[in-house]
Amino acid sequence: MRRGLLAVLALLPVLGCAMAPPAPQGPAADHARLAIAADRAIGQMIDHLAARERVEVEQAASLRFAAAASVTRALPAPATPVVGAVLDPGMDLVVIAAQRLAVLAGGAGAGGDAEAAAALARFEAALGGLRAVPGRWPSEAARRRGLDGFRALAAPVPAGADAATLAAARQGAIMAGVALLQAVVGDDARSGLRGVLAARHEAWREAQRGLLATGQRMDPAQRLALWNRVQAALAADGFDLPAAEVVRLLGALPPAHAAAGAGDPAGVAALQAALARFQSVLAQAR
């Protein structure tokens, strides 16, 4: 999913000296580091889901051919990479917002305007790409709300703003933007990427059942071996839990943004706990 991670942006001021400025400390700095880690972890989970989607689509086509000797001329368009292309710049904007708060909390002036503008342009283009993939994607009204949120989040930091005032002023923006990212992944198991993956998974299982039903093409040992492979695959990795965990982790970002602006370590720690949970799921999924 990710290209180069925006771990270091041009947000620190140019101080005109050879020695680098000290790294920002405190809840806002912790929040920025956690936002970067969340971005990376979400990208890894999307990569996992993309690989799983590709395998299920290809295996379903192969199994249908084995069962009925019919060739699928066009496989369904992959959905996970399209969603990843939306999450990628969306999370870049979340990271930029977090780093701006960290810099302001350290008493310096925040920048990142060019990076934010570039991420916003990529987000707008990627959001339009969802139309090429059939699915229950967010409505136009939801897209507009989320896009407006990201536009506000990407705007340059007003002169004289501090971390507290900026976080308060843009809390609604990050809530709207993140809500759109959650809807793209799927607010429930039937919408967004989760709904598409559910359909892919059911088609895969149906192809397995179809092949098992063609007894004349397999002897009992082959049928049992296929059955065991299918059950092992189903038990090894649920398709919806990883995607649902992406939605859950995204939901922890807006409260952490508010906590960072308020200098609230406990609020930022809640994001750390959510990230730890997500990383444990990611380790099992991989």
Side-chain angles (χ1 to χ4, degrees), residues 31 90 93-95 97-98 101 146 149-150 152-153 167 169-182 250 253-258:
H31 167 244
L93 289 165
V94 171
V95 168
L101 291 183
F150 277 125
L153 208 62
R170 298 192 174 178
Q171 186 62 22
I174 196 167
M175 290 174 65
V178 168
L180 178 56
L181 297 184
Q182 289 177 301
L250 288 170
L253 293 171
H257 176 268

Side-chain angles (χ1 to χ4, degrees), residues 17-82:
C17 60
M19 183 176 296
Q25 302 296 322
D30 292 340
H31 167 244
R33 287 189 284 270
L34 288 168
I36 291 169
D39 181 21
R40 182 184 299 113
I42 289 172
Q44 291 171 340
M45 187 68 87
I46 292 297
D47 288 342
H48 165 73
L49 292 171
R52 177 174 179 132
E53 179 189 17
R54 183 176 64 254
V55 166
E56 290 195 352
V57 167
E58 292 174 352
Q59 284 188 357
S62 298
L63 290 167
R64 285 192 293 269
F65 175 78
S70 61
V71 178
T72 303
R73 299 195 177 277
L75 298 180
T80 310
V82 180

Side-chain angles (χ1 to χ4, degrees), residues 143-233:
R143 295 186 195 206
R144 283 194 299 273
R145 286 193 298 271
L147 188 53
D148 287 346
F150 277 125
R151 285 170 177 159
L153 208 62
V157 176
D162 58 23
T165 58
L166 184 69
R170 298 192 174 178
Q171 186 62 22
I174 196 167
M175 290 174 65
V178 168
L180 178 56
L181 297 184
Q182 289 177 301
V184 168
V185 178
D187 292 321
D188 56 54
R190 298 177 301 279
S191 65
L193 176 63
R194 294 168 67 187
V196 176
L197 293 181
R200 301 280 195 264
H201 186 70
E202 181 53 34
W204 178 70
R205 296 193 67 171
E206 181 60 32
Q208 302 278 8
R209 290 191 291 265
L211 183 57
L212 287 171
T214 58
Q216 72 276 15
R217 297 182 183 275
M218 290 186 292
D219 61 37
Q222 290 173 322
R223 287 167 60 84
L224 181 60
L226 175 60
W227 172 260
N228 288 335
R229 286 197 302 273
V230 172
Q231 297 309 307

